[in-house]
């Protein structure tokens, strides 16, 4: 089983195509109009002036585009591997996960509502019996702790 998974993963990696990804661009950012000389001081000044002209929004958009691009590659790669190994996609896995979490939340909500309804429907006699049972249980636990000391 391990060999077939390794072969499937190797096949998935070899068939993964990055060339279909969209390359991010930095909006409204232009290269310096002056040619950058080989002089380190002058070249760094030209680069700094072009970077200084970029707004924080431009830099943030470029960083976000880069993160989005790398994240897209990772998601596509993982989706491809999951598809090759398990025969499913990440979307289906996340859909199943969402359904499972939603059912757990629904069941927990239902249990809480039923418990509150049951507490509301208790008679005074049942409340007193439960309270006395709780007091006896706490006292018993405290006595056991005191005896062990």
């Amino acid at each position: 089983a391990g060999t077939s998974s390794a072969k499937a993963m190797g096949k998935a990696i070899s068939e993964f195509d990055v060339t279909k990804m969209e390359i991010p661009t930095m909006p409204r950012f232009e290269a310096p109009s002056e040619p950058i000389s080989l002089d380190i001081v002058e070249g760094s000044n030209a680069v700094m002036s072009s970077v200084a002209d970029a707004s924080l929004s431009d830099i943030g958009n470029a960083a976000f585009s880069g993160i989005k691009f790398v994240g897209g590659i990772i998601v596509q790669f993982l989706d491809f591997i999951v598809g090759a190994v398990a025969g499913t996609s990440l979307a289906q896995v996340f859909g199943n996960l969402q359904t499972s979490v939603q059912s757990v939340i629904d069941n927990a909500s239902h249990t809480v509502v039923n418990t509150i309804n049951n507490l509301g429907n208790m008679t005074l006699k049942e409340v007193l019996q439960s309270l006395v049972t709780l007091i006896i249980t706490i006292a018993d636990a405290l006595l056991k702790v005191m005896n062990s000391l």
Side-chain angles (χ1 to χ4, degrees):
T3 307
S4 64
S5 294
K7 286 180 182 177
M9 188 175 290
K11 182 181 177 191
I13 291 171
S14 67
E15 293 177 0
F16 184 69
D17 187 12
V18 182
T19 59
K20 295 179 183 174
M21 298 288 299
E22 179 182 330
I23 298 174
T25 58
M26 187 167 161
R28 299 187 324 240
F29 184 76
E30 298 177 13
S33 57
E34 305 169 4
I36 298 175
S37 68
L38 294 179
D39 183 18
I40 295 175
V41 175
E42 288 179 21
S44 62
N45 287 341
V47 170
M48 288 304 291
S49 68
S50 67
V51 170
D53 291 340
S55 68
L56 287 178
S57 175
D58 293 337
I59 294 170
N61 286 336
F64 180 73
S65 296
I67 291 169
K68 183 179 171 186
F69 178 73
V70 170
I73 288 175
I74 291 170
V75 167
Q76 284 189 355
F77 182 71
L78 291 175
D79 192 37
F80 197 73
I81 289 176
V82 168
V85 174
T88 186
S89 70
L90 284 179
Q92 291 172 335
V93 170
F94 285 128
N96 293 339
L97 179 67
Q98 180 183 11
T99 303
S100 298
V101 168
Q102 187 64 40
S103 68
V104 167
I105 291 171
D106 289 343
N107 289 339
S109 299
H110 181 70
T111 302
V112 168
V113 168
N114 282 342
T115 302
I116 291 173
N117 284 337
N118 290 340
L119 287 174
N121 293 330
M122 289 177 72
T123 63
L124 187 57
K125 179 181 175 183
E126 291 172 333
V127 170
L128 290 176
Q129 285 175 340
S130 298
L131 187 59
V132 168
T133 304
L134 179 64
I135 291 172
I136 292 172
T137 304
I138 291 173
D140 183 46
L142 289 174
L143 288 174
K144 286 180 182 177
V145 168
M146 294 302 284
N147 278 339
S148 67
L149 297 176

